[in-house]
Amino acid sequence: MAIERTLSIIKPDATERNITGKINAMFEDAGLRIVAQRRIRLSREQAEAFYDVHKERSFFGELVDYMISGPVVAQVLEGENAVLAHRTVMGATNPAQADEGTVRKEFALNVQENSVHGSDSVENAAKEISFFFSDAEIVG
Ligand code: CMP
């Protein structure tokens, strides 16, 4: 089993409802270790840059507006097969399709306000981690 790192963002709908601790507990129960964490307010430029891959999608403008509507918690999670383990505990993007026991089934409001983001591959995880954190800020 490979020890990996992945980038997680707890989104504004979750920080607004003060459930970041409940979400972190689900990550930890899934075997993931929070090795970096920072609560921040994204600028419009940062949100646009982070979601650049979605810039042609119809929901891009709404997504950026939502991601800057309140604080987010950016995190690096570490563990065995962390990218897949994190995606499994997050559940499907659309909470209507998320499995029981997942963060999105439990907490997400809709497909946009879906409480959490997670990297979709090891390669993207490395890029997304370096978007938010320097090596010195990640303490495993
Ligand atoms: P995330 O995993 O962060 O990746 C892109 C985000 O865009 C996604 O979670 C949702 O917050 C949002 N998103 C994806 N699909 C839609 C959609 N159909 N309508 C609105 N927002 C969406």
Side-chain angles (χ1 to χ4, degrees):
M1 288 271 210
I3 299 295
E4 296 172 353
R5 287 177 174 172
T6 193
L7 190 279
S8 167
I9 303 176
I10 302 179
K11 296 183 178 184
D13 70 271
T15 58
E16 210 267 329
R17 286 177 288 156
N18 201 27
I19 54 174
T20 63
K22 290 186 174 135
I23 292 172
N24 278 347
M26 290 176 81
F27 293 161
E28 291 178 346
D29 288 347
L32 296 160
R33 184 174 294 269
I34 301 163
V35 294
Q37 179 164 254
R38 188 188 310 122
R39 185 173 172 111
I40 51 173
R41 189 105 188 199
L42 290 174
S43 67
R44 180 169 294 278
E45 293 67 32
Q46 282 175 308
E48 286 175 351
F50 184 79
Y51 279 117
D52 187 61
V53 66
H54 294 306
K55 68 170 181 277
E56 306 302 336
R57 308 288 286 271
S58 58
F59 57 80
F60 181 70
E62 272 179 37
L63 172 61
V64 170
D65 286 345
Y66 158 62
M67 289 299 289
I68 66 174
S69 68
V72 300
V73 178
Q75 316 173 295
V76 180
L77 306 179
E78 184 179 83
E80 283 180 4
N81 293 328
V83 172
L84 182 60
H86 184 222
R87 292 183 74 74
T88 301
V89 70
M90 284 195 301
T93 302
N94 185 342
Q97 286 148 19
D99 289 338
E100 290 294 335
T102 62
V103 173
R104 284 167 171 159
K105 179 71 175 184
E106 187 98 348
F107 297 120
L109 303 177
N110 52 59
V111 72
Q112 176 172 272
E113 297 170 295
N114 63 356
S115 302
V116 283
H117 166 83
S119 307
D120 63 4
S121 66
V122 173
E123 190 189 13
N124 283 336
K127 288 184 199 154
E128 292 184 357
I129 288 170
S130 66
F131 187 92
F132 287 103
F133 297 99
S134 68
D135 285 349
E137 291 174 312
I138 303 168
V139 182

